Amino acid sequence: MDLADRADIAPPTPEEPPPVRRHPSEPMPRWPSGWQGPTYYGRAQLKAAPFENGVVGGYIFFAGLSGASALLSTIASTASPRASAALERRARWLTLLAPVLGAPLLIYDLHTPKRFYNMLRVAKGTSPMSIGTWILSAFSASAFLASGAGWWGDRRPNRRGWRRLSTLARWSSALAGAGLSTYTAALLSATSTPLWAAAPRSLAARFGASSMATGAASLALGQRGRTRRNLDAITAAALAAELTATLVSHHRYSRSGIAGAFQTPWGRLEEGGATALGLVAPLAMYGATLARGGRSPLPALATLAGSLLFRISIMGVGDVSARDPELSFRFAQPDNLPGAHSPSRASG
Amino acid sequence: MEMHPRVREQTRSEFDTLIPDESELTANVRIEPGRAYGFFTDTTVCIGCKACEVACKEWNNLPADNIGLTGESYDNTGALSANTWRHVSFIEKPVLRHDLQQPFQSGWLMMSDVCKHCHNAPCLEACPTGAIFKTEFDTVVVQQDICNGCGYCVPACPFGVVDVSKVDGKAHKCTLCYDRLKGGLEPACAKSCPTDSIQFGELHKLQARAQERVAELHALGVANAYLYGTPGAAGATGDLQYLNAFFLLTDRPETYNLPAAPTRPANRVAPALTSGLATVAGLAVAALALFARRW
């Protein structure tokens, strides 16, 4: 007897249509597109990175600041050597922040810190952490050499040899500095954490621009005259680029269905703190004062604070997206695969 | 599964020595370096006994994670972790009517989850120390004497498997019983599985066996049976290619806490690096123009 014929025991219509009976050539059943739930008892599908957000976010900030200040000071002293002597001396100290403060932060964040040197066992193109280890090593060596030779050369009567060595090392630190200020975005993107993986290109553009903004802002603090105006203009340009990349990345988060991660304390810190107060506000201040040549250190300080907040809060929002199975499942849909044509319309 | 002729030679019930190539007797497979091995977990015959969890804990000397009750069906283990390398999940699907169940256990799903030993393993690709490596059996193992606990493999894993232990500060996960394979023994979980839900064997033979099982289930009317983690199937998306530990499922992957379409994280390194460097280069050129101008 067919069950469907008996109204008294006929099963009610299931909410989800049963999967379509498939042709043998199809590799898997066609489930209804998109994912509506349920999760596995609300348990996380992914594991969040076991990083301390303040420590790793702090490292990313110092790495970006040091790398960009090495790059910018080298460019300035190449383009106008006479006007940039003070800038160069300031950059000597700023470039040492990554090796002196940043590297210990990284080692502190290891769960077996006494084995930190195992990072130097291999060089691996698939691991941005390995790439970063070698960039940081090259940057540290050249920054110490550039700063040391420059500082010593200033105090020697026969300074030409020392200055030549310092210039050579400075170019090396400038190139490594470009890598140091951006590889951290690749480090976050090359994970399965939805929020970091969703927008690799725009996240890297944000990191690069934010690093350049902090490099220029920290060099500008205490500077006067034309150099100050140039650095302020560079900071403003970097902030504008960062704002553009921020808008692009948030658009991508919405399209991938993971924008819900921003409706959390970490997300509000990223949007209200890092972006509104640390990016839009200093950009407006620069816009208002650039023509007249402002003297206030406020926009530069806001830029620095905003960048630090951005690096820490993006770590936190990433953790949120990894711990929330709804966000993880919505992100890991065939629609979000690279090369997929129709992006997920799921809200969130 | 047919039995190996060598089984007839073993008439003793107590052993004082190891049987050479014991896996031939227990899993009908000889373990040789240079070949690819894996697990085929057929969830349609899993009875949720958790013998695999116990065998894994015993062989690998792993402590308990949770000794309380979770209230989540019979799953008091919760998730894979640094100390839990096999995890049986229990899914009680809504019953249409209290006296009417769907056939073939489809109202109650059980699955023994494990590290997938991915072909393009994201944890291995992320590991900056080379502690995670591919063994001669095509499995993925963390070398405990090298891992420095950076934790980068944890967010790299698309399946939430690998975990850093708070006790020793190193990353841990299923080794597919690397030590047992070296000694010619079938992995502990597969050997202990009473229904052969967990099958150990050579990967291409397991994949063929799994295809046959799916066809058999389809013939029985289980239309929604499918493979997760074989080449071209769900779970092997985004350039992961295939998973050495793969599954036969009968509901959406998410039901079992598995991602439908995971990706290979290492493919995002180049886009991120080029975009970041291009941004910095653009701003550097602007800076050069500003500092070099004569007005």
Side-chain angles (χ1 to χ4, degrees):
Chain A
M1 183 175 53
D2 195 355
L3 282 179
D5 294 342
R6 285 192 45 188
D8 55 330
I9 61 161
T13 319
E15 284 171 28
E16 201 182 27
V20 185
R21 208 175 245 274
R22 61 208 169 104
H23 190 264
S25 66
E26 275 184 57
M28 57 169 154
R30 269 177 294 167
W31 308 106
S33 76
W35 171 85
Q36 303 287 315
T39 62
Y40 185 71
Y41 302 105
R43 283 185 177 272
Q45 186 260 307
L46 296 163
K47 285 192 169 55
F51 303 149
E52 271 185 48
N53 292 342
V55 173
V56 175
Y59 163 75
I60 296 175
F61 171 75
F62 286 124
L65 195 161
S66 272
S69 60
L71 180 62
L72 285 170
S73 69
T74 308
I75 287 171
S77 50
T78 307
S80 56
R82 246 173 273 161
S84 309
L87 194 73
E88 194 194 313
R89 280 196 296 277
R90 184 185 306 272
R92 275 179 210 158
W93 299 106
L94 290 174
T95 52
L96 294 183
L97 282 176
V100 173
L101 275 179
L105 284 177
L106 281 188
I107 293 172
Y108 170 81
D109 197 61
L110 296 178
H111 291 81
T112 308
K114 63 184 175 193
R115 287 189 185 170
F116 76 92
Y117 53 83
N118 276 356
M119 292 284 188
L120 304 168
R121 280 180 84 238
V122 290
K124 237 170 157 176
T126 55
S127 169
M129 198 179 273
S130 177
I131 297 172
T133 300
W134 292 106
I135 290 180
L136 180 61
S137 302
F139 181 82
S140 302
S142 45
F144 270 116
L145 193 60
S147 304
W151 182 83
W152 187 243
D154 284 354
R155 280 152 187 79
R156 302 289 295 174
N158 180 18
R159 55 170 66 179
R160 192 172 256 181
W162 290 108
R163 285 208 63 84
R164 200 169 289 163
L165 180 66
S166 173
T167 308
L168 206 68
R170 248 192 6 250
W171 269 105
S172 159
S173 71
L175 289 179
L180 194 64
S181 53
T182 55
Y183 91 86
T184 43
L187 190 143
L188 297 188
S189 294
T191 63
S192 295
T193 295
L195 197 103
W196 300 339
R201 286 190 182 82
S202 48
L203 184 71
R206 287 172 85 183
F207 269 43
S210 185
S211 298
M212 290 298 267
T214 54
S218 55
L219 285 169
L221 281 171
Q223 284 281 350
R224 291 266 174 100
R226 213 185 114 184
T227 312
R228 167 72 188 264
R229 283 198 300 281
N230 282 346
L231 288 167
D232 281 355
I234 295 164
T235 314
L239 289 175
E242 190 189 341
L243 184 61
T244 313
T246 302
L247 295 174
V248 172
S249 59
H250 277 259
H251 178 62
R252 279 214 70 88
Y253 300 145
S254 302
R255 290 212 321 181
S256 325
I258 55 168
F262 287 93
Q263 284 150 20
T264 56
W266 279 116
R268 277 188 280 276
L269 191 65
E270 199 270 354
E271 288 184 331
T275 305
L277 293 177
L279 175 52
V280 178
L283 186 59
M285 284 189 254
Y286 279 121
T289 58
L290 213 54
R292 290 179 281 118
R295 288 253 182 103
S296 163
L298 200 62
L301 290 174
T303 302
L304 291 172
S307 178
L308 179 61
L309 211 56
F310 164 49
R311 312 311 179 102
I312 295 174
S313 59
I314 203 75
M315 306 281 303
V317 194
D319 291 347
V320 167
S321 73
R323 290 200 183 101
D324 184 338
E326 298 203 6
L327 296 177
S328 312
F329 284 147
R330 232 177 271 146
F331 182 63
Q333 288 303 312
D335 290 346
N336 282 333
L337 283 174
H341 294 296
S342 59
S344 168
R345 293 268 173 266
S347 60
Chain B
M1 193 173 66
E2 67 198 83
M3 254 195 289
H4 196 273
R6 271 184 63 206
V7 171
R8 290 202 192 87
E9 297 165 16
Q10 305 296 338
T11 51
R12 294 169 294 161
S13 54
E14 278 181 39
F15 298 92
D16 45 8
T17 54
L18 203 67
I19 302 170
D21 289 313
E22 195 210 67
S23 65
E24 259 180 357
L25 277 61
T26 61
N28 201 6
V29 57
R30 185 185 279 258
I31 301 163
E32 287 167 338
R35 295 179 178 221
Y37 296 89
F39 287 131
F40 164 41
T41 306
D42 179 354
T43 65
T44 56
V45 291
C46 180
I47 54 171
C49 70
K50 302 189 203 177
C52 50
E53 283 191 25
V54 175
C56 177
K57 292 249 181 205
E58 290 218 330
W59 178 264
N60 294 300
N61 244 334
L62 297 168
D65 271 333
N66 170 34
I67 50 168
L69 299 174
T70 59
E72 296 161 3
S73 188
Y74 285 85
D75 181 3
N76 293 309
T77 310
L80 294 172
S81 75
N83 299 325
T84 301
W85 301 348
R86 269 279 178 190
H87 161 231
V88 181
S89 48
F90 290 75
I91 301 109
E92 295 180 38
K93 292 174 77 177
V95 183
L96 300 178
R97 252 187 58 170
H98 72 280
D99 59 346
L100 187 73
Q101 271 280 9
Q102 289 179 5
F104 299 111
Q105 286 194 357
S106 45
W108 199 349
L109 308 176
M110 285 155 272
M111 182 191 93
S112 181
D113 198 8
V114 69
C115 168
K116 317 297 179 287
H117 295 273
C118 313
H119 177 63
N120 287 325
C123 61
L124 184 158
E125 294 187 320
C127 179
T129 63
I132 305 184
F133 78 118
K134 265 268 164 86
T135 69
E136 64 270 39
F137 307 114
D138 201 36
T139 56
V140 182
V141 172
V142 188
Q143 299 175 82
Q144 294 305 316
D145 54 339
I146 291 174
C147 175
N148 65 9
C150 75
Y152 192 37
C153 51
V154 177
C157 178
F159 304 101
V161 171
V162 63
D163 189 18
V164 171
S165 167
K166 287 184 181 67
V167 179
D168 71 352
K170 318 278 188 304
H172 298 273
K173 68 170 197 70
C174 162
T175 66
L176 218 139
C177 280
Y178 186 36
D179 48 352
R180 289 177 65 96
L181 298 195
K182 285 222 171 216
L185 294 165
E186 178 183 10
C189 56
K191 189 176 177 183
S192 70
C193 181
T195 64
D196 247 354
S197 170
I198 303 171
Q199 298 178 27
F200 166 78
E202 248 191 276
L203 188 61
H204 70 273
K205 285 186 186 159
L206 283 182
Q207 286 172 346
R209 198 187 296 165
Q211 298 286 2
E212 279 172 32
R213 173 67 179 155
V214 170
E216 183 190 338
L217 283 167
H218 285 181
L220 287 170
V222 190
N224 46 11
Y226 70 104
L227 296 179
Y228 180 91
T230 46
T237 49
D239 206 22
L240 290 175
Q241 304 237 357
Y242 55 85
L243 314 177
N244 278 33
F246 60 97
F247 301 83
L248 191 157
L249 307 176
T250 54
D251 204 336
R252 296 182 70 114
E254 293 91 345
T255 311
Y256 304 87
N257 214 8
L258 293 169
T263 56
R264 181 186 182 184
N267 284 1
R268 292 186 279 273
V269 175
L273 278 184
T274 46
S275 160
L277 287 175
T279 309
V280 168
L283 289 166
V285 169
L288 184 66
L290 271 175
F291 281 113
R293 81 201 148 121
R294 293 278 164 261
W295 35 274

